[in-house]
Amino acid sequence: MDTTLEKLLRHPLLDTLSEEEIGELRPRVRARQVRVGEVIFEQGADADYFYLVADGELEVLMSVEGGKQESVNLLYPGDFFGDVSFMMEQPRGVTVRAIQEGELLYMTGEELLRLREEASGFAERMAQLGERIETRSVLTFEGQQDGEVVLNLTRQHWVALI
């Protein structure tokens, strides 16, 4: 079994797909190695691909007043990004940059939309994981220094309530 197929089988977003469906998806997915500092796409760019994080860490940046870019989230293995532009039919709303070497799996927006329409449970799983990624947004606070990042991690579990 090739390593891309193995990574697809392990990715949490695709766990509602059968092995057969993933096998059919495999020829339409490519792998890309990323280096520290490499920009995957820039805010305002046209959407081209949808990405799954197989390995590494990425930073999501948004331009604010004066053209400065602010970190708004971090992405880890098992996360995905690039879907919003396809769903909203708009240019990229953020910049994504690698802050750790890693590997991305990617497919066209058309393939993503096909999966959402045809693959049972895929759209629901995407919404569930997307919500988890959003709740992990980067927070800022008064007095925060350049380069400091505060992450808001939330988890709903009954043990945490005790």
Side-chain angles (χ1 to χ4, degrees):
M1 188 180 317
D2 77 81
T3 58
T4 301
L5 181 56
E6 289 171 350
K7 289 175 183 172
L8 286 170
L9 287 168
R10 286 193 314 261
H11 199 283
L13 179 59
L14 305 177
D15 64 8
T16 61
L17 302 181
S18 69
E19 218 171 298
E20 182 181 320
E21 288 173 312
I22 290 177
E24 291 171 9
L25 176 65
R26 167 58 190 103
R28 296 184 289 274
V29 174
R30 292 184 234 156
R32 172 180 172 182
Q33 299 296 316
V34 293
R35 295 180 313 278
V36 174
E38 183 177 343
V39 173
I40 314 310
F41 57 73
E42 301 232 8
Q43 186 172 341
D46 289 334
D48 50 2
Y49 298 107
F50 168 69
Y51 298 89
L52 304 170
V53 182
D55 192 32
E57 188 175 323
L58 299 109
E59 181 177 34
V60 180
L61 303 155
M62 184 177 284
S63 292
V64 292
E65 290 179 34
K68 182 182 176 201
Q69 290 191 321
E70 235 177 62
S71 182
V72 295
N73 208 339
L74 297 174
L75 300 168
Y76 302 99
D79 289 343
F80 59 88
F81 62 98
D83 53 311
V84 174
S85 294
F86 293 111
M87 305 303 169
M88 306 295 287
E89 297 180 0
Q90 295 179 347
R92 303 290 191 187
V94 295
T95 296
V96 177
R97 176 180 66 201
I99 56 175
Q100 187 181 79
E101 285 187 14
E103 183 177 27
L104 303 176
L105 304 175
Y106 64 100
M107 65 184 81
T108 65
E110 292 77 25
E111 185 61 32
L112 168 66
L113 297 174
R114 185 193 70 75
L115 277 173
R116 283 184 53 87
E117 289 176 18
E118 297 175 10
S120 175
F122 180 81
E124 292 82 15
R125 183 67 172 147
M126 186 175 203
Q128 176 189 38
L129 291 176
E131 188 175 306
R132 185 196 74 188
I133 293 167
E134 284 181 29
T135 61
R136 194 179 56 219
S137 296
V138 174
L139 300 175
T140 58
F141 60 93
E142 192 175 323
Q144 185 172 344
Q145 302 295 313
D146 283 343
E148 290 182 333
V149 176
V150 178
L151 292 176
N152 175 26
L153 301 174
T154 61
R155 185 174 190 166
Q156 296 177 357
H157 195 283
W158 67 271
V159 173
L161 298 174
I162 295 177

